[in-house]
Each structure stands twice: as structure tokens, then as C-alpha cells.
Amino acid sequence: MKKFSYLLILLLVVSVVIAGCNSGGGDSNEDGITTIDFAIHVANPMEQEPAFSKLIEQFQIENPDIKVNLIGKEQQEHVKNIKMMSQSNKLPDVFWMLPASASELYEAGMLMGLNDFIKENPEIKNSLNENMLSTYAANGEQYGLPYQPLVTGLFYNKALFKQHGVELPKTIEDLVAAAKVFKQNGVTTIAKGAKDEYSVWAFLTMLSRYGYFEKIDNIMAGKEKYNNEDFVNYYKKIDELRKAGAFPDNVSTQTYFQAVEQFLGGQAAFLDSGMWDIPKIEESGIDAGFWWGPTFADGVGNQNISSVVPAAPLLVSKNVEKDAAKKEAVLKLFAFYYGEKGTQIMVENQVPPMTNTKVTIDEAKNPLFKQLVDQIQLEGWVSQPNQPDLVVPEAIGNAMYDSIYGVINGTYTPEEAAKVVQNKVDETK
């Protein structure tokens, strides 16, 4: 009899616990707070990603019933941790991930689709640049959205142009002519450092002006060669810049960071870089501008190509779908993140918009950032879909870096440079 009583009491306790869990809905606690576990790729989000952190802070102020639990780890550790968690189906609710790994998680069926979010928020869909959506979509499914835009190009020192009577170039011929004037006056035209081979952002955009995205699928399929006439012409233009003395004399031994210091020191007219260097340039006191780079008379297709591409994506665990309160909270966060308020918060902290939403910028405080955003919103200019090196296997991307710096250093002819990449394509088959 006693055993029966104990069993009855135990069943009653379990029933109460279950009822209590169900009444709150999902992971909401007694206070009605829904917590979102959000894993990010930096160890200290407040210091390393201040714009993102301030956005999350404001979201929580406006949504006191939602708590965003930021889990920060250094990128390599973060990626390793996400991969380990995926093996036991315990992914964080929302997380940052490298593009290739994001695609693998999607293929494994571990991500919540975002089609409904896009459909139910037409103002966000219409404001996002097309490449911000298409990059993280497959088989008609939106499986991720970019964490931030990645904007790259050429910064220029206005004072040096004025001092030496040089107009800002428009075409490659203009740039070569400018390089000759700067060389004669002891000024480096384009600060670069070959020790960090990845630092060729503006030159990759120039490659897109030779039809890269129209050709690369056929090249990877073996239907066309990378060492085609158009790409060889592209390398020939880099060789013309080399012959005009456009690059530092020590380019082969200089790092990217030394190239940045060269520009900040007023010793170079241009710096091949991106949005991340704006604070340094503004703090240096240099009166700088931002340029998408030269157009090419023998280029292929549209020459008004900019580079506002999606950074690595934010993803949502498939498990979020099982928790109505959690799902609602995550979609509220995304609506805030990609909406007008979120965009303005990011802009106020010098992160360019990835949407066409009208934003307010303090030009007196951030003149270069204002110019960069103005260039992003130039009418008649269209961004390349992605960086050319990010749509091919890593080994081929590395070969592209090597080929560009090989011509800059004078170690490859244009024909040899194009062949270096084609050889790597052949090796991957």
C-alpha cells in the first residue's frame, strides 16, 4: 500500500512539473522571458563588435520579454565549437558561421528555413540588395542572411592628387598616367603588401569587369579555360601599372599592414582595402575619398561594378522550429536587425548598410564613412555577386592571389599568371 502511495505521489509531482513546463511555452522562465542563445565569432563582442553589441542592447530594451545570451569565442574556436555541437544536434539558436560550413549545415538539414520570414517582411526583402539574399539560398530555400556587408575598394589621399595636379582616374589609362606622375614625384600610387597575398580586393573587383562571373561556372566545369583572352588582358593591365611604377619598390617583402601604414603616413595615393580601415584613416587626419577602381575599354559587360558583398551568414538552428516562443523571438530579432532601426544603429557605428534604406550619417564626424556610403548608393552601379575568390575552392582562390601578386612583382607574365590559376583548376578535378 505504501509503495502504491509513493508511486501516486511521484506521478502527481511529474504531472505538475510537466504542466509547469508547458504553461510557460518553450524556454520561457517564470518571468515570461524567452532566451535566445546567440553564438558569435569574437571572444569579446562588446569590444570587437561594438555595432552589433549596441544593436542587441537596443533590441532588448525594446523587447524586455526577450533576452539575447551572447556566446563569444575567437573565430577558429567558434567554428570548431559549432561543428562539434552540430554532431550532437545541439546548435545554438542563432549563430555566425563561415559560408562553406553554413552550406554543409544546410545540406545536412540542420538549419531553419527563412522563406517565411522573407515573405512576411516584404520591406526587408525589397530593401536588401539581391546578392545579400541569393548568396545564402539554395533549392529555393533561404537558409541564412548576411551578418554584415563587406565593402572593398580603393581609398585615396585627396591632398596628394591636388599637390601633384592629378585628377581622380576613371579608366585604367587614367590610372596608368597618374602612376607615372606620382612615380616621378617619389609617391607610391597604390600601397600594397605581397606578404599578405589575400590583400587584392580592388583587383578582384577589376577581374569582375572582365566577365569573371559570366565565365567561372564554365571554367570550373571544364568548358572554358581560366587563361582565356579576356583574363589575360586583365593581367596585362596590371602589368602596365607595374611598368608605370604604380606599386611600392618593396612590395614583395611588405605586409598588408605595412601598406596601410604607408598610406596613413601620406606616402601613397591609394590603398587597396575595405570598410574596416575607415576608423584608422579618419583618425589619421588624412582627407581621403573612396573609389571603386578603373573601368576597362576592353572589359566584358557592365563596367560600373562595385563591391558590396555579403559577409559570412547568420543561421538559425532547426531546433528553434520546435519552440513557438523561441521562434517568435528569433524572427523578432531578425526583423529588428535587418529593419530600419537596426540598420541605423549599425551605420551610427560605421558599419555600411546592406540595404537601400535611407540612413543618417554625421558627415562632420565621419566624412570618409559618409563618402563610402554615398558610393554604395551611386545610381547606375551594381555590386558583383560576391568576391571572386569566395565562389571557388580555397586552393583556387589562393592561386588567384598568387597570380595577381606574381604580375605585380614581375615574376609572372600575364599569360603565366592566368596559367597558374588554370593549373590549379585542373588539379581540383
Side-chain angles (χ1 to χ4, degrees):
M1 186 68 178
K2 285 184 178 180
K3 289 183 179 179
F4 177 80
S5 299
Y6 289 144
L7 180 60
L8 181 61
I9 292 171
L10 179 60
L11 288 172
L12 287 171
V13 170
V14 171
S15 299
V16 168
V17 171
I18 292 173
C21 290
N22 289 339
S23 65
D27 288 339
S28 299
N29 63 23
E30 293 177 359
D31 299 322
I33 305 295
T34 301
T35 300
I36 299 171
D37 287 333
F38 198 136
I40 192 171
H41 62 303
V42 293
N44 190 329
M46 284 295 292
E47 291 184 6
Q48 295 170 279
E49 291 291 324
F52 167 77
S53 298
K54 289 176 182 177
L55 183 147
I56 295 298
E57 180 182 347
Q58 184 60 36
F59 172 76
Q60 291 182 120
I61 290 172
E62 297 189 19
N63 296 272
D65 59 334
I66 300 173
K67 174 180 170 53
V68 181
N69 176 34
L70 286 182
I71 305 166
K73 295 182 184 296
E74 179 273 329
Q75 181 172 317
Q76 188 173 0
E77 183 184 357
H78 167 82
V79 171
K80 181 180 179 181
N81 196 46
I82 292 295
K83 289 182 178 180
M84 290 178 62
M85 294 175 78
S86 71
Q87 293 173 8
S88 56
N89 195 28
K90 294 182 179 179
L91 288 169
D93 301 320
V94 183
F95 56 99
W96 179 101
M97 198 53 172
L98 293 170
S101 297
S103 178
E104 291 172 2
L105 290 171
Y106 163 71
E107 293 293 341
M110 305 197 74
L111 302 180
M112 185 179 91
L114 298 173
N115 281 19
D116 288 345
F117 169 75
I118 295 299
K119 183 179 179 180
E120 292 167 9
N121 293 274
E123 71 286 354
I124 291 177
K125 178 183 179 181
N126 294 334
S127 68
L128 281 166
N129 296 330
E130 193 277 334
N131 63 335
M132 298 294 166
L133 291 171
S134 61
T135 300
Y136 300 120
N139 305 315
E141 183 78 63
Q142 192 73 44
Y143 65 83
L145 290 169
Y147 171 59
Q148 292 178 5
L150 178 63
V151 183
T152 56
L154 291 165
F155 294 106
Y156 61 94
N157 185 324
K158 295 179 182 179
L160 287 178
F161 279 85
K162 184 176 180 180
Q163 179 183 345
H164 299 291
V166 178
E167 295 288 329
L168 180 66
K170 292 183 179 179
T171 66
I172 187 63
E173 290 79 14
D174 296 337
L175 183 56
V176 169
K180 292 177 181 177
V181 174
F182 286 129
K183 179 68 174 178
Q184 291 170 359
N185 289 278
V187 176
T188 296
T189 303
I190 307 175
K192 294 201 70 61
K195 294 290 282 185
D196 294 309
E197 285 195 321
Y198 59 81
S199 59
V200 288
W201 301 282
F203 284 80
L204 290 171
T205 305
M206 295 179 206
L207 178 57
S208 288
R209 297 187 182 118
Y210 277 89
Y212 177 85
F213 282 97
E214 288 76 18
K215 301 176 188 294
I216 191 59
D217 287 345
N218 283 337
I219 290 171
M220 295 304 298
K223 299 177 182 177
E224 192 169 350
K225 296 291 186 181
Y226 187 94
N227 52 333
N228 59 76
E229 182 180 356
D230 292 322
F231 288 6
V232 170
N233 284 338
Y234 157 76
Y235 287 108
K236 285 180 178 178
K237 300 305 186 298
I238 299 175
D239 200 38
E240 288 178 21
L241 287 170
R242 178 189 66 83
K243 292 175 181 176
F247 306 108
D249 292 336
N250 64 338
V251 63
S252 63
T253 59
Q254 182 166 260
T255 67
Y256 159 69
F257 301 98
Q258 289 171 324
V260 173
E261 292 305 315
Q262 185 179 33
F263 180 79
L264 295 178
Q267 301 164 4
F270 288 105
L271 171 66
D272 185 354
S273 181
M275 52 188 257
W276 56 87
D277 274 326
I278 287 180
K280 286 183 183 178
I281 297 172
E282 290 187 337
E283 289 169 10
S284 74
I286 290 176
D287 185 9
F290 183 80
W291 182 47
W292 293 122
T295 58
F296 302 86
D298 63 349
V300 176
N302 181 21
Q303 293 296 292
N304 290 345
I305 293 178
S306 60
S307 187
V308 187
V309 304
L314 294 180
L315 309 171
V316 181
S317 168
K318 184 79 170 176
N319 292 330
V320 169
E321 285 185 324
K322 304 172 185 176
D323 186 325
K326 180 98 64 175
K327 181 178 179 180
E328 181 182 358
V330 167
L331 295 182
K332 271 189 181 180
L333 174 58
F334 272 32
F336 185 86
Y337 196 99
Y338 297 100
E340 291 185 9
K341 282 189 178 180
T343 298
Q344 183 61 41
I345 291 171
M346 299 296 273
V347 165
E348 288 171 0
N349 291 276
Q350 293 192 279
V351 175
M354 57 185 132
T355 72
N356 58 20
T357 299
K358 188 176 181 180
V359 294
T360 302
I361 300 171
D362 186 342
E363 187 171 4
K365 181 181 177 182
N366 301 119
L368 181 55
F369 181 67
K370 174 66 164 61
Q371 290 183 56
L372 179 137
V373 173
D374 287 344
Q375 291 299 303
I376 289 174
Q377 298 177 341
L378 273 179
E379 288 189 16
W381 285 72
V382 179
S383 176
Q384 56 186 350
N386 210 325
Q387 286 189 177
D389 57 318
L390 298 182
V391 299
V392 292
E394 184 178 355
I396 296 174
N398 290 336
M400 291 166 68
Y401 308 153
D402 178 38
S403 69
I404 292 169
Y405 267 119
V407 177
I408 288 174
N409 291 327
T411 55
Y412 294 150
T413 66
E415 291 78 9
E416 289 169 341
K419 184 62 175 173
V420 163
V421 183
Q422 180 58 46
N423 288 344
K424 188 59 66 176
V425 172
D426 292 339
E427 288 177 16
T428 62
K429 293 179 180 177

